[in-house]
Amino acid sequence: VQLQASGGGLVQLGGSLRLSCTASGVTFRYYTLAWFRQVLGKEREWVSSINSANTTYYADSVKDRFIISRDNEKNTQYLQMNSLKPDDTAVYYCAAGIVVLRNEHEGDYEFWGQGTLVTVSS
């Protein structure tokens, strides 16, 4: 199983980016999908999740700015990030888990992408 994240880059304050994460070797539609992020020197933190019923969940820090979505036919999940702030600067990781009891718990996700860097300049 592989998850391949892409779409990171440099963006100005208030700008937008869309991250993508494409999976191979897994039946995508049954999994809860998530995005985490990590700032250098800090712990990885949960950003957002979408379960197999397409119910979405967001950390308070990104609520109303980020939108998570999935396309099961393409085995791809997305994170649309709007109104970006310098505090959103981090490496973003995608993850997938078949039984996720706590969205924010890293251990509930079996598969992880390699990370894509998002830098927001002020």
Side-chain angles (χ1 to χ4, degrees):
V1 176
Q2 282 191 326
L3 300 182
Q4 182 72 38
S6 61
L10 174 64
V11 64
Q12 289 188 331
L13 173 68
S16 298
L17 277 177
R18 189 177 81 155
L19 305 183
S20 301
C21 177
T22 300
S24 59
V26 64
T27 306
F28 201 65
R29 66 181 65 250
Y30 301 123
Y31 282 74
T32 291
L33 310 173
W35 291 93
F36 287 74
R37 66 186 182 186
Q38 187 171 24
V39 176
L40 187 64
K42 294 188 177 181
E43 290 188 354
R44 189 154 53 185
E45 66 172 359
W46 171 74
V47 174
S48 180
S49 298
I50 182 169
N51 65 18
S52 58
N54 283 333
T55 303
T56 57
Y57 305 88
Y58 298 94
D60 288 343
S61 59
V62 306
K63 200 173 294 183
D64 299 325
R65 297 190 298 123
F66 290 10
I67 302 171
I68 190 171
S69 61
R70 64 192 296 164
D71 185 335
N72 291 333
E73 297 304 315
K74 295 182 179 179
N75 265 16
T76 300
Q77 62 167 317
Y78 304 96
L79 186 68
Q80 177 67 42
M81 304 186 296
N82 303 316
S83 302
L84 283 162
K85 309 173 183 178
D87 284 350
D88 296 317
T89 295
V91 176
Y92 284 72
Y93 297 88
C94 56
I98 193 68
V99 178
V100 175
L101 300 181
R102 289 178 294 165
N103 287 311
E104 70 279 11
H105 187 229
E106 291 187 36
D108 284 5
Y109 298 90
E110 294 98 297
F111 307 115
W112 290 82
Q114 83 288 3
T116 184
L117 176 62
V118 172
T119 304
V120 183
S121 65
S122 55

